[in-house]
Amino acid sequence: RQLVAHASCLSNPSIACLTHSRSANSLSLVVKTIASSNDPQKLLQKISSALSTQLTYLDESMTSLRVATGDSIQTVDGSSCDYILDGIPCTALYNIESSDENTSIVDALSIFYRSISTVDWLTTTLAIVIKAAIHRTHELGLAQRRENGWKKEISSESFEKLVTKLSDLHRSSLWEVCRIRSKPDFEERESIRSCASKEPLLYKLRIVCQEGAIVRNGIEIDGCENVGSVEMGEVVEAFDRCINSSGVLRYQTSRGWVSELTRGHARENIVEIIDVVKSTTTPPYVAR
């Protein structure tokens, strides 16, 4: 439910990220350094094997999601996302009643999100290793001939099957997104999603930015005073959220306002949503 809550509360899914991008980038940098300093063949084999295993998990997660939503369409060849979202209820997470059926849908959707996010990161890492191998070959020249096993690896039949499966997944994912976004009621549902809820909601936030979160006494970042900070890993509750004049989604807590993402090109996550529920208490007053 935590992953589904985070995904459903993103202000802009097209630029936001389900993963902690800074941690993922740091790990990718370590992998790149290893591939640049050593024979990349073994690393390429390990990542390819992990990616193949994760694609199998993804197939299983899609089958489980289709079963949970009562979808009769089954995956035929490879990882296909065709019509995978048809059985997902078009309603806010906090309005979904607690039942065994709804719990199974939320759990299956969360596992699907997690699996496809892992495949995305492993695919990026695989590309990094191949690029590092190419640069290493150019730098060492003739001395690199004995370390050209990575070329045989990417020319193998197993690697070709892996790339084909990734291509099928990419195609079907884009097709499914375009299919959903071209539905007649999509714009209306997206408008409702972006509007403030008519019911008081309670957002449970976890700070995930390494520098923590700066708390200000107003919704605007520039011109509002810094009244404190929240450390990484700390969990806080917010009772309101709004997009300010800079286009940044801000959450109002009992301490003040914190941002969803950092400003600038990187757009790092500052908070992740653990849960969102209907509030049963009166929100504390905080000066705007």
Side-chain angles (χ1 to χ4, degrees), residues 17 25 67 72 156 160 181 184 218 223 232 241 249 270 280:
C17 184
N25 291 339
V67 170
S72 59
S156 65
E160 181 182 355
R181 292 183 66 91
M232 178 182 179
R241 68 176 191 166
L249 179 64
I270 295 179
T280 57

Side-chain angles (χ1 to χ4, degrees), residues 6 17-25 206 208 232 268-269 272:
H6 178 61
C17 184
L18 287 178
T19 60
H20 301 167
S21 52
R22 181 172 297 184
S23 301
N25 291 339
R206 178 188 289 122
V208 296
M232 178 182 179
E268 294 279 350
N269 286 96
E272 66 178 4

Side-chain angles (χ1 to χ4, degrees), residues 7-162:
S8 63
C9 290
L10 293 173
S11 60
N12 191 339
S14 63
I15 64 170
C17 184
L18 287 178
T19 60
H20 301 167
S21 52
R22 181 172 297 184
S23 301
N25 291 339
S26 298
L27 187 55
S28 297
L29 181 60
V30 172
V31 173
K32 180 180 179 180
T33 302
I34 295 174
S36 301
S37 305
N38 303 277
D39 182 6
Q41 182 181 6
K42 290 184 178 180
L43 188 57
L44 193 59
Q45 291 173 340
K46 290 286 187 182
I47 296 176
S48 297
S49 176
L51 187 51
S52 296
T53 301
Q54 193 60 45
L55 282 170
T56 301
Y57 291 156
L58 178 59
D59 286 344
E60 294 173 355
S61 71
M62 287 193 287
T63 300
S64 298
L65 181 58
R66 294 185 193 278
V67 170
T69 57
D71 187 357
S72 59
I73 298 176
Q74 299 297 322
T75 302
V76 180
D77 295 316
S79 302
S80 176
C81 294
D82 294 354
Y83 299 99
I84 192 70
L85 300 178
D86 262 1
I88 306 300
C90 295
T91 185
L93 183 63
Y94 53 82
N95 282 329
I96 296 180
E97 296 180 359
S98 178
S99 67
D100 292 340
E101 180 182 358
N102 289 334
T103 298
S104 65
I105 293 176
V106 172
D107 290 346
L109 182 59
S110 179
I111 293 172
F112 169 69
Y113 280 163
R114 187 179 298 111
S115 297
I116 205 165
S117 296
T118 304
V119 167
D120 178 62
W121 182 80
L122 284 172
T123 303
T124 302
T125 305
L126 183 65
I128 289 173
V129 173
I130 294 175
K131 289 180 181 179
I134 293 173
H135 292 158
R136 179 177 169 82
T137 300
H138 289 166
E139 289 175 358
L140 296 183
L142 295 176
Q144 178 67 9
R145 286 182 176 178
R146 292 180 297 178
E147 298 185 10
N148 277 344
W150 67 271
K151 292 184 178 180
K152 295 180 180 179
E153 181 64 30
I154 63 175
S155 302
S156 65
E157 184 178 350
S158 60
F159 193 82
E160 181 182 355
K161 290 181 179 179
L162 176 62

